[in-house]
Amino acid sequence: MLQTLTLPDTADAIAQGAAILRRGGLLALPTETVYGLAGDACNDHAVAGIFAAKGRPSFNPLIVHLAALEQVPDYADLTPLARQLAAAFWPGPLTLVLPLRAGSPLSPLVTAGLDSVAIRLPAHPTARALLTAFGGGIAAPSANPSGRISPVTARHVLDGLDGRIDAVIDAGACNVGVESTILDARGDTPRLLREGGLAGETIEEARGTRLLPPETSSVTAPGQLASHYAPRGRVRLDVTAPDAAEIYIGFGPTKGAAWTLSASGDLTEAAANLFHILHKADAEAGPDGSIAFAPIPEIGLGRAINDRLRRAAAPR
Ligand code: TXA
Ligand code: MG
């Protein structure tokens, strides 16, 4: 059992956080999407510690976070498609799967032995400052026990990982609220691997072409296991008539809702509220209770929200 420090969002804390990473420790840090559980991506011991702290299956690879585009070639081949996507959307809630560079210094645990690597340049100023201070690649999955609800506050991180990590930097709530969108950028056309905080439509509009759909047969992103983001109790979706005992979560004008993802039906606001409300509803419902969600439209960020809710509701 470690003593997990809660650090403020200051320059001193960022220096302290970088020192923790340099000695192979584990640090939870805010990004614009969710809090990440950071470790030195080139240190086997640190990366193994991330898997252990989360209880994460080791065949599920991690995202490597970087401060600057110039660092990408140290780890991966920056394909022409990746250059275009990076110019349009980095830093931000977008992760690109790229060919792993031969002789890359990454721990093989990061890529789970694949010949590709997922890379992201986050936009959150604290994450960027930490990445700059550290200087190298940081492996960071969401800072929650595997399969549970992702953390969007330092409190959520501690609820799941207190005593299992060295520190958390508390910079308040994450403003996007769902994980990054993941694209496979190895070919000529981007393929959507995970819906996330950058809407697919936004990418399609910028490029003037459609994204390739996820390949359903093979599990290209092994994190796409069915049950995920799960509260302890039961979750029902697309509910318009909740049972009396259910905690009902609304969207737009919903009658009888305990809480709402967005009273005005705004999907950006709903994404930012999603994990806050799942954490609150989980605490209220407990292991035997039930949570019911009103329908969310399958457009824009609604796709990422519905993806997370379907996994929360999936059989365990
Ligand atoms: O917003 C985010 O992406 C957050 C913050 C902390 O950056 N991170 C995050 O990490 O969501 P995680 O570990 O919870 O999800 C990473 C996903 C997993 O589904 C994993 O399978 C996929 O990325 N992934 C990683 N490397 C991959 C690769 N080489 N090919 C395909 N999928 C990969
Ligand atoms: Mg996760």
Side-chain angles (χ1 to χ4, degrees), residues 244-267:
E246 278 178 321
I247 296 176
Y248 189 35
I249 313 294
F251 177 81
T254 309
K255 276 207 198 76
W259 293 302
T260 178
L261 289 171
S262 167
S264 64
D266 179 276
L267 288 167

Side-chain angles (χ1 to χ4, degrees), residues 147-287:
R148 302 303 302 279
I149 306 163
S150 296
V152 290
T153 65
R155 182 72 255 162
H156 295 157
V157 173
L158 291 170
D159 287 346
L161 297 177
D162 195 10
R164 316 185 115 226
I165 61 176
D166 293 289
V168 54
I169 297 183
D170 184 353
C174 305
N175 65 352
V176 175
V178 291
E179 295 84 348
S180 60
T181 299
I182 305 182
L183 297 181
D184 185 342
R186 288 175 290 179
D188 297 328
T189 309
R191 182 180 295 281
L192 184 63
L193 299 184
R194 176 176 76 182
E195 308 272 6
L198 178 64
E201 289 94 324
T202 305
I203 305 168
E204 291 179 336
E205 274 159 29
R207 296 182 52 76
T209 57
R210 300 301 302 270
L211 296 174
L212 298 174
E215 277 170 305
T216 44
S217 54
S218 74
V219 183
T220 334
Q224 312 306 70
L225 303 168
S227 174
H228 216 87
Y229 311 102
R232 293 160 299 167
R234 207 161 69 100
V235 178
R236 291 204 306 137
L237 307 182
D238 295 321
V239 175
T240 48
D243 300 339
E246 278 178 321
I247 296 176
Y248 189 35
I249 313 294
F251 177 81
T254 309
K255 276 207 198 76
W259 293 302
T260 178
L261 289 171
S262 167
S264 64
D266 179 276
L267 288 167
T268 302
E269 182 186 14
N273 284 332
L274 177 66
F275 290 133
H276 288 280
I277 286 183
L278 269 170
H279 279 276
K280 277 205 293 187
D282 181 23
E284 181 110 343

